[in-house]
Amino acid sequence: MNDTLTLSQRADALEHKMSQELDYIVIKSRLYTLADGDLSPAPNAAALMAKNPRARVLMGDDPRLPAMPEAPTLIDFFKYRFGPSMHLLQSARHAVKGGLPEKMVLACLLHDISTTGFIRGDHGYWGAQLVEPYVDEEVTWAIRAHQVLRFYPDESVGYEYPQSYINAFGDDYRPDRYVEEDYKRMRDHKWYMSGRMITVHDIYSFDPNVHVELEEFTDVIGRHFRQPKEGLGFDNSPVAHMWRAMIRPAKYL
């Protein structure tokens, strides 16, 4: 592909190539193109269909992704939609070994599901919202809080600012103002230590020789995650649309 083309032109060329090869056309979300620094208009679906009359924009399941069950469970999302989750599994096992209550083990298992399945920025806030209808309120609070508390040491539990953050963000990085304001509120909250425990058991360096199976936490999930009978995404909860977005991330409308 010609390297002199603009990002938008390269995207259009790729979409055209796909439309010639497939019976469906994928129009990427605005958030996706913004993440590439691309402010140009989305590819014109009508024009792409005109070039390949047999193609249609994708409105159902994406054949490039594993099929999801009709009533998907949390475990199904771990298996078929979330990215590699060994960090979450190792963190949850670390929490078990640390003697945390089961619901906090669940919090450690779920604390980064937004990063693995949905979006990175403000992942604690998004992750808490994803699970809010299905878990204890303390679990939701702790998942949201870990996003903030991880930037602030707590000597009482041996938590230090991660060296990996200095490497990634620079030693002059300071959290955004809203994070600082949330920290001031969270440190005096009755569940402060629950959020803090996620940061304590948040494994920042992974041992490639340690493998943890999701099935190790099947009973914990069963006891502390209220799985809707209709399936995640189809239970008419306030967050159902977020789960559907992970089921069909390229759905046109």
Side-chain angles (χ1 to χ4, degrees):
M1 194 174 292
N2 191 341
D3 290 338
T4 65
L5 295 177
T6 67
L7 183 64
S8 175
Q9 289 171 330
R10 291 200 300 271
D12 287 345
L14 181 60
E15 298 294 347
H16 174 67
K17 182 175 183 292
M18 290 178 64
S19 73
Q20 297 299 312
E21 296 175 350
L22 305 172
D23 290 331
Y24 58 91
I25 298 169
V26 175
I27 305 295
K28 296 182 175 66
S29 71
R30 186 63 169 170
L31 191 61
Y32 183 99
T33 58
L34 286 175
D36 280 337
D38 183 359
L39 291 170
S40 61
N44 187 290
L48 290 171
M49 286 188 289
K51 293 175 183 177
N52 184 5
R54 67 194 178 100
R56 295 292 182 269
V57 291
L58 190 61
M59 285 294 287
D61 293 332
D62 190 333
R64 299 171 301 174
L65 294 172
M68 289 288 276
E70 190 172 319
T73 67
L74 177 63
I75 289 177
D76 291 326
F77 276 89
F78 267 96
K79 290 181 176 179
Y80 305 123
R81 286 299 181 271
F82 293 169
S85 300
M86 192 52 58
H87 164 62
L88 296 176
L89 295 168
Q90 287 191 13
S91 295
R93 179 185 278 180
H94 200 266
V96 171
K97 291 183 176 180
L100 265 61
E102 279 194 348
K103 67 179 178 180
M104 291 310 304
V105 171
L106 180 69
C108 289
L109 179 67
L110 300 179
H111 75 277
D112 279 353
I113 62 168
S114 176
T115 299
T116 60
F118 196 66
I119 192 172
R120 293 193 66 89
D122 278 340
H123 70 281
Y125 297 88
W126 283 107
Q129 189 175 3
L130 274 166
V131 302
E132 192 164 13
Y134 315 112
V135 299
D136 186 271
E137 185 181 359
E138 183 178 357
V139 172
T140 302
W141 193 94
I143 292 173
R144 183 179 293 109
H146 100 275
Q147 160 84 28
V148 170
L149 299 181
R150 63 197 178 130
F151 292 111
Y152 301 93
D154 186 335
E155 294 180 359
S156 73
V157 292
Y159 178 78
E160 299 178 352
Y161 186 82
Q163 179 62 43
S164 61
Y165 288 4
I166 297 174
N167 297 339
F169 312 139
D171 56 11
D172 59 345
Y173 173 76
R174 296 294 179 271
D176 291 314
R177 184 175 177 180
Y178 72 89
V179 173
E180 177 68 25
E181 293 300 318
D182 270 355
Y183 173 64
K184 292 175 182 177
R185 289 187 286 268
M186 290 172 175
R187 65 187 177 186
D188 295 323
H189 195 278
K190 65 180 179 179
W191 289 328
Y192 164 78
M193 196 52 69
S194 297
R196 175 57 71 193
M197 283 298 102
I198 293 181
T199 71
V200 168
H201 297 282
D202 201 349
I203 307 299
Y204 290 102
S205 60
F206 314 119
D207 185 343
N209 298 316
V210 175
H211 186 79
V212 185
E213 295 288 348
L214 178 61
E215 286 71 22
E216 190 171 317
F217 305 101
T218 300
D219 290 345
V220 170
I221 292 171
R223 284 190 286 267
H224 299 281
F225 189 90
R226 296 185 289 272
Q227 171 67 38
K229 66 180 187 303
E230 303 91 343
L232 290 167
F234 305 104
D235 58 333
N236 197 37
S237 81
V239 301
H241 61 287
M242 296 168 66
W243 293 92
R244 291 196 300 271
M246 289 186 283
I247 295 173
R248 293 174 170 176
K251 188 178 178 184
Y252 185 64
L253 292 176

